[in-house]
């Protein structure tokens, strides 16, 4: 049986089993679990893009993207990422590394995944409880758990209009 469900789409679920490989649960009345990526590097944390055409995943070689469901070619987005999320609203892939949130626009309209230049979105507060982060449905807001001064860990702070706040701060 699979150890972890990483991503789900209408077509398939992506799992990681013990070992290094990514597996998918096929369609049909009796779907079977099958390996979709077997190689010597360790691969994990797969997430299918909102349009269902791409899958991104962590690897020993960094954050990788491949066509879904074929995985016949791999593109490296960045050599290091602690967590990542697809934007539900645009062709953008967000990833976090060392407390900084980055954005990579991409063109995935053809058979080739073409990532653009990465840009910093924001730096997470020092007291961030950890990753992953979540992206709002509009692709403009993010949710990250932060320790409040002396408050219990159950408190969640939500920042609205984060991009506008960042833009205002950069104009000062």
């Amino acid at each position: 049986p699979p150890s972890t469900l990483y991503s789900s789409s209408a077509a398939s679920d992506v799992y990681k089993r013990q070992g290094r490989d990514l597996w998918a649960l096929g369609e049909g009345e009796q779907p079977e679990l099958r390996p979709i990526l077997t190689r010597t590097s360790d691969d994990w944390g797969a997430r299918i893009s909102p349009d269902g055409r791409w899958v991104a995943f962590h690897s020993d070689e960094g954050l990788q993207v491949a066509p879904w469901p074929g995985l016949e070619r791999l593109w490296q987005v960045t050599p290091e990422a602690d967590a990542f999320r697809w934007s539900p609203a645009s062709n953008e892939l967000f990833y976090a590394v060392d407390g900084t949130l980055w954005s990579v626009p991409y063109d995935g309209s053809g058979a080739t995944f073409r990532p653009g230049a990465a840009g910093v979105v924001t730096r997470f507060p020092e007291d961030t409880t950890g990753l992953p982060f979540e992206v709002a449905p509009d692709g403009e807001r993010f949710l990250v758990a932060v320790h409040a001064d002396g408050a219990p860990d159950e408190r969640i702070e939500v920042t609205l209009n984060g991009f506008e706040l960042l833009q205002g701060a950069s104009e000062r």
Side-chain angles (χ1 to χ4, degrees), residues 126-148:
E126 292 292 325
D127 53 358
T128 300
T129 60
L131 301 172
F133 58 92
E134 292 299 332
V135 182
D138 64 5
E140 297 289 322
R141 295 168 288 153
F142 304 91
L143 180 65
V144 180
V146 177
H147 283 288

Side-chain angles (χ1 to χ4, degrees), residues 84-156:
F84 72 91
R85 296 289 184 267
W86 294 99
S87 171
S90 65
N91 286 356
E92 207 168 8
L93 186 59
F94 297 102
Y95 68 91
V97 64
D98 293 332
T100 301
L101 181 64
W102 295 79
S103 167
V104 176
Y106 67 89
D107 178 1
S109 58
T112 301
F113 184 84
R114 293 190 251 344
V120 173
V121 174
T122 191
R123 181 123 177 95
F124 291 128
E126 292 292 325
D127 53 358
T128 300
T129 60
L131 301 172
F133 58 92
E134 292 299 332
V135 182
D138 64 5
E140 297 289 322
R141 295 168 288 153
F142 304 91
L143 180 65
V144 180
V146 177
H147 283 288
D149 296 331
D153 288 344
E154 294 85 30
R155 182 175 167 190
I156 295 177

